[in-house]
Structure formats: structure tokens, C-alpha cells
Amino acid sequence: MSKFIHILYVPTMNCNMKCRYCYLGENTNELKSDKGYLETLEFAVNKFRHADVIPFNISLHGGEVTTLSPDNFRDIVEYISNYYKANGKILSENGFKTNKPHIKTNLFNIEKHIDAIREFDVSISGSLDLPFSLHDKYRITKGGKGTLETILKNVSLLAELPNRKKVSATIFQEHFDHLDEIVNDIKWLSQNTCLNMNDFNFMIGFEPQLESEVKLTALSEENQVALYKRMHKEFAGTDLEEGLKNAWFAEFTPAYCTNCDNCGEKFFLLEKNGDIYSCVRGQGNPDFYYGNIYTDSIEKILNTAKSKIFLAHNRHGISEECISCEHLHLCKTGCPFVKNVYSSSKSYTCKLQKEIYRDNEYEEIPDNFAYYYLLKNHPTLAQEHLKYEPEENSLEYLIAKDEKLQQVYNPDAFILSVDGQEYKLQSQILKRTRDFIFISKKSVIKLYIKHETMDALSDYPINNSLFIQLLSGDTVVYGDEQREKQEHIMTHQIFKGTLMKEPSDKEGFYCADLSGLLALYGDMLSKTSANNLFFTTSALRDYHYTKQRNNGFYHINAINLPFQNIELYYLNLDDMEEDINA
């Protein structure tokens, strides 16, 4: 099945301005790369498409995109325009609109690209400081001069173009202290420029701006709400009410990236040198670095992205307030990058978001949403938040009635560690989501087995064994019934006495290093479908099959391999290196 992603491409880090609070600081200089401005984007798109990963949106960011030469700028927007034309059918069939090339710009040098912007219908998202009285204090050239006059003059050049053109403003406390001026400047822009101020965006700045020359003060949650309410007081019932209710605060609604369960599955910032980060917020931060398009496989990049965002969400846990919140399905606890900036488990715009959700009367939270969200992002906490009454004679009902079955399906019994990332394993027929791992011959893979699990249901625990089964994602036809099932690759047992002799770095658990074992069978696994790895013990396995023979309801509900599992893809690094070199 195709995967769809958003690529934010940074063809240059160079910038013609030196905003005093810029989060990139002194890094707004040309990227060191031997690659052409368009070459990296073309290479990345082709490599993603070869892996059946399809960009549904390609937009341009910086640095400052308009510092490119007219020829380089034109080549890039022409390529993106042609990409949308060539892929419009598959995008629309999968629910995505066919876009136009889009740039994020400070508007200071846009005049030299007017012809290309007109020809390829480039949509423009500019940035200003509101109020205007602070613009030339903070948004200056590298020579220290103000920029507002030039930017407003350049905006007037866009008047003749039918392209979508909008601006946004980032609000810190210093801006908020001039609310009356902000209101007047919004009205002036609406009345005196070609900008569609119904398509305007407020953004809320956050601290710290690590490399910045001037440290601005983040807006408190109370003042965020005060900003929102003041805008409603001023603009409700006016010709800007549409923007007030929609675009102005859209960044804090479910339409934006913060509504992702894991934004590492969808959003990728690509720099000209091939480096990939989460987004403009995570740009340059090693915790949000996903790899390099030239040196890493797509599988590794995708898996790293998902894993790093998972870790970012887990670094500071999740608050009980979020778990019980009626808006969890809309917020998903907020931006993982900013949560780590503030060492917080909550969104830094929580109170503002709640105001917006209430005003827009979004749908109610689905039943058991907290459980499903936790299962994906905080799996060790999920089970205690499941509000579920199983039907009589369902599998969950039978497990609840049988203490021995509870041992068979115990979600705390096995933990798999892959290159340091841990996965708490559950039965494949009980979990509500699927986890995939990517391993290679270089992966360090350890299984942790709870001490009590090796003793469970065994009269003589020293004779009990860890029972491992590996199945290929490819299918074969088995038995007299001629059923098509996953092909069995390997069954392996490790007895308790052996486990006891091996060192373990997790208290209360035995540890089995499976790296070499799985590497033995890598070439036999499916290269196109997810392979399956199961864990249980001999004693628990025996009880499962005994229960199947003795209880018809259990036999119907439980498949032959209901044990704790994870699905995996095996990466042949040698082949990948040959492909990359080719």
C-alpha cells in the first residue's frame, strides 16, 4: 500500500535578513553541498517513489528561498508544478488535492522572481511582524537596516497576480503588549494591500530562541487566550470574520500537523545536502534528525522518523489531565518538539486550543480513544485506560475468567529491544494497532522475558523454555485443507537454565540476544511483505493448545499462533549500498 508524505524542501539556508530572534541564528548561510539546488529534490522524490512513498505536498522553505538566482528558483518551481501535473490522478484518488508550488518567504527579495511566480502560479506565504512599529526593530537586514518599507512595496507587486498570497505573524509577549496596534495594522493590510487577510495566520512564539540575538518572551497561556478573545471582539461580524473563525488560528486546530498520532510518519524537511529533519522546528536538532537521503535507505529514514517522534512524545510522559481530556482526539498532546523545549508533557497552547475547540463544536471524543492513543504512543499505560466490557464467550471474556490464559496473553511478559528502541509485545489478536520494525545484520536485538513468565504454568520450570517462531511474510499452501498461510521459517527454544546464565540489564527480566539468530534467516524472509516473529514459552504454548481442545468458544476465537508478536522487515544493507552507489 502506498504511503503519502509532505516534503518541505530547503534548497538554501542562505537568508537576506537577520531577524533578531531567528531560531537559526548564524546558520543562515549557504549549505555546504556538492549537489545542485534541484538535484537533491529530484533524487529524493525518485527514491521515495521507488519505495512507493508518494509526496502529496512539496513546499519550499529556507533560509530564504528568494535568495536563489532567478534560474534556480524557476527550475525548482517548474519541477514541482510538473510533479503535481504528473501525479494529480493518484493524489486525487487518495483524497489529496493537486496543489500549486508553494513558498514560505520573508518577501524581501520576491520582486526578482515575479515572472516565475506568475508562470507557475506559485502560492506565497509571507511573514511580517505585527504591529508594524516593532517590525523594523526585530526584522532587519544583515546590515542592520529596517525591512518593512521594502516588504510592503514588494507586496504591491503581487497585486496583479491571481496567485494565492498570504502572510503570518508570530506573537510574543512584546507584540501582545501592542494589541491595539495589531488590530489597526490588520485592518490596514486588509484595506490597502492585495493580501487576503481572511487567509492570515497567527503563530505563537516559544522560548528559548537558542541562537538568537534578542530573547523574546513567550506568551503565557492566559495571554494566548486573551489574544484570541480580543480578535473575536474586534473582528466578529466584520468582513474578516471568516478568517477569524478559520485561518487565523488554524495552526491550533486538528487540521494542522499537531493532530498526527506520530508526525514522523508524514512530515519531512529535506535540506539541499540530503539531510532530513522533522520540520522547521526540528531543523538542525539531532533529536529530530532522520538521516540523509543519499546515504540512508527509505526504510531506515521512515523507521527513524517514527521512532524519534515516539521517543520525543515519551521523554516527558503524558499527564493524567491529557488522558482524561475531552479534546485528546483533537490535540494529541501537541507538538513533540516544543514539548521537549519546555520539558513538558502538554501542548504549550493547551488553553488556547480548548477555547478554539469549544467555539467550533468539534465532534465528541470517540469511545476508548485514550486507550487507542496510548497504545500507539505510550503503550505501557494503555491497558489501564481501556473502558471495555467484553461480550460473553468472547476471547477477552474467556481470558478474564481464566487466570492461566491471562499468563498466556500477559502484555507485560516480553519486551523486544531493537537498537535501543523498546517494544512491549502483545498478542496479535488482542492489540488494536500494528508495530513494524526494520532490522538488518547489524541490528542489536534483545528479548527481555519476565522472570515470572518462565515459571508460569510449569511444574518443573528448569525444563521450561522460551519458544520463538519466525514466519515469512510470503505464503505457502499447507496441509490437507490446502490453506494458504505464512511460511514457517524457524522455531527456536532456549531453556530457562541457559537464560539464567546470560547477563541482563533489566531488573526482573531474563535477556536473550537474538541478533545473530535472526541474522541467520534474513535472506529467507520476505522482501515485500511484513514477516512475523512470535514469543511464548513451552508451558504457555501447551496450555493454549489444551484450552483449544477443551473449550469450543476458545477454539473459535483464538488462532493457532495468538502469542505476543511483532512484524518486521529485514533490510539487506549490501544490496542497498549497491543501489545507492549505482
Side-chain angles (χ1 to χ4, degrees), residues 58 67 95 423 467 488:
I58 303 173
T67 61
Y423 302 85
F467 200 93
H488 285 249

Side-chain angles (χ1 to χ4, degrees), residues 53-67:
V53 179
I54 304 172
F56 67 85
N57 198 331
I58 303 173
S59 51
L60 300 176
H61 210 281
E64 173 53 42
V65 178
T66 61
T67 61

Side-chain angles (χ1 to χ4, degrees), residues 127 130 172 200 203 224 280 320 329 360 403 464 474 489-490 523 532:
S127 52
L130 295 179
F172 289 91
F200 166 74
M203 295 184 286
Q224 293 171 23
V280 294
E320 283 296 326
H329 64 304
N360 286 275
E403 291 185 0
N464 198 14
D474 298 327
I489 299 296
M490 173 269 289
D523 292 338
N532 237 316

Side-chain angles (χ1 to χ4, degrees), residues 2 26 45 57 73 288 291 328 456 473 511 549 581:
S2 299
E26 298 300 321
V45 170
N57 198 331
F73 179 88
F288 293 85
L328 177 62
C511 179
R549 289 193 297 271
N581 293 332

Side-chain angles (χ1 to χ4, degrees), residues 260-296:
C260 295
D261 287 339
N262 185 312
C263 60
E265 297 178 319
K266 185 176 290 187
F267 296 95
F268 300 84
L269 180 142
L270 170 69
E271 294 185 340
K272 177 190 169 189
N273 62 3
D275 285 342
I276 296 179
Y277 291 92
S278 60
C279 60
V280 294
R281 290 178 171 179
Q283 193 174 2
N285 188 307
D287 288 337
F288 293 85
Y289 172 71
Y290 298 161
N292 186 284
I293 195 67
Y294 288 110
T295 60
D296 294 311

Side-chain angles (χ1 to χ4, degrees), residues 66-335:
T66 61
T67 61
L68 294 173
S69 71
D71 287 343
N72 287 328
F73 179 88
R74 188 188 188 282
D75 288 345
I76 293 174
V77 296
E78 180 179 24
Y79 170 80
I80 295 172
S81 179
N82 290 336
Y83 173 85
Y84 286 135
K85 290 175 184 177
N87 294 278
K89 185 173 185 292
I90 190 171
L91 293 178
S92 62
E93 288 175 347
N94 286 275
F96 299 99
K97 64 180 182 180
T98 303
N99 292 308
K100 306 289 186 181
H102 178 77
I103 62 171
K104 180 69 177 176
T105 173
N106 60 28
L107 296 166
F108 191 70
N109 263 147
I110 203 165
E111 77 286 350
K112 70 180 184 181
H113 301 297
I114 289 293
D115 291 341
I117 289 170
R118 178 189 294 108
E119 181 179 354
F120 297 104
D121 196 16
V122 178
S123 68
I124 297 164
S125 177
S127 52
L128 292 167
D129 260 20
L130 295 179
F132 291 156
S133 63
L134 294 182
H135 191 284
D136 283 348
K137 180 178 180 180
Y138 298 130
R139 300 179 70 81
I140 59 175
T141 67
K142 288 188 173 176
K145 295 182 179 180
T147 60
L148 181 61
E149 182 180 352
T150 299
I151 288 172
L152 291 179
K153 183 178 71 173
N154 287 344
V155 167
S156 68
L157 298 177
L158 303 175
E160 61 179 283
L161 304 181
N163 313 48
R164 180 187 179 192
K165 35 198 177 278
K166 59 179 287 186
V167 289
S168 61
T170 302
I171 305 297
F172 289 91
Q173 181 64 42
E174 288 78 358
H175 303 93
F176 177 82
D177 290 339
H178 300 265
L179 265 183
D180 291 342
E181 292 180 57
I182 290 176
V183 169
N184 291 333
D185 290 343
I186 289 174
K187 292 177 180 178
W188 187 90
L189 286 167
S190 180
Q191 295 165 6
N192 297 282
T193 72
C194 63
L195 296 171
N196 177 9
M197 292 306 288
N198 274 308
D199 200 12
F200 166 74
N201 291 123
F202 278 114
M203 295 184 286
I204 305 297
F206 53 87
E207 298 180 61
Q209 304 92 50
L210 296 177
E211 304 288 341
S212 59
E213 182 178 330
V214 174
K215 305 292 187 184
L216 296 187
T217 308
L219 210 56
S220 68
E221 288 199 61
E222 290 72 23
N223 282 345
Q224 293 171 23
V225 173
L227 169 70
Y228 177 75
K229 290 186 174 180
R230 177 65 186 278
M231 294 302 112
H232 273 262
K233 179 182 177 181
E234 295 289 345
F235 294 100
T238 72
D239 57 356
L240 294 180
E241 182 174 38
E242 178 188 349
L244 171 69
K245 291 183 175 180
N246 295 290
W248 285 18
F249 293 92
E251 184 179 351
F252 316 104
T253 68
Y256 258 62
C257 55
T258 49
N259 190 243
C260 295
D261 287 339
N262 185 312
C263 60
E265 297 178 319
K266 185 176 290 187
F267 296 95
F268 300 84
L269 180 142
L270 170 69
E271 294 185 340
K272 177 190 169 189
N273 62 3
D275 285 342
I276 296 179
Y277 291 92
S278 60
C279 60
V280 294
R281 290 178 171 179
Q283 193 174 2
N285 188 307
D287 288 337
F288 293 85
Y289 172 71
Y290 298 161
N292 186 284
I293 195 67
Y294 288 110
T295 60
D296 294 311
S297 69
I298 295 299
E299 291 82 359
K300 182 179 179 181
I301 290 168
L302 296 180
N303 194 43
T304 299
K306 181 179 176 181
S307 297
K308 287 203 169 184
I309 295 301
F310 176 89
L311 289 173
H313 276 300
N314 277 269
R315 199 165 283 125
H316 301 288
I318 183 170
S319 72
E320 283 296 326
E321 181 182 352
C322 288
I323 295 173
S324 60
C325 179
E326 61 184 313
H327 305 301
L328 177 62
H329 64 304
L330 304 172
C331 167
K332 310 287 179 69
T333 75
C335 172

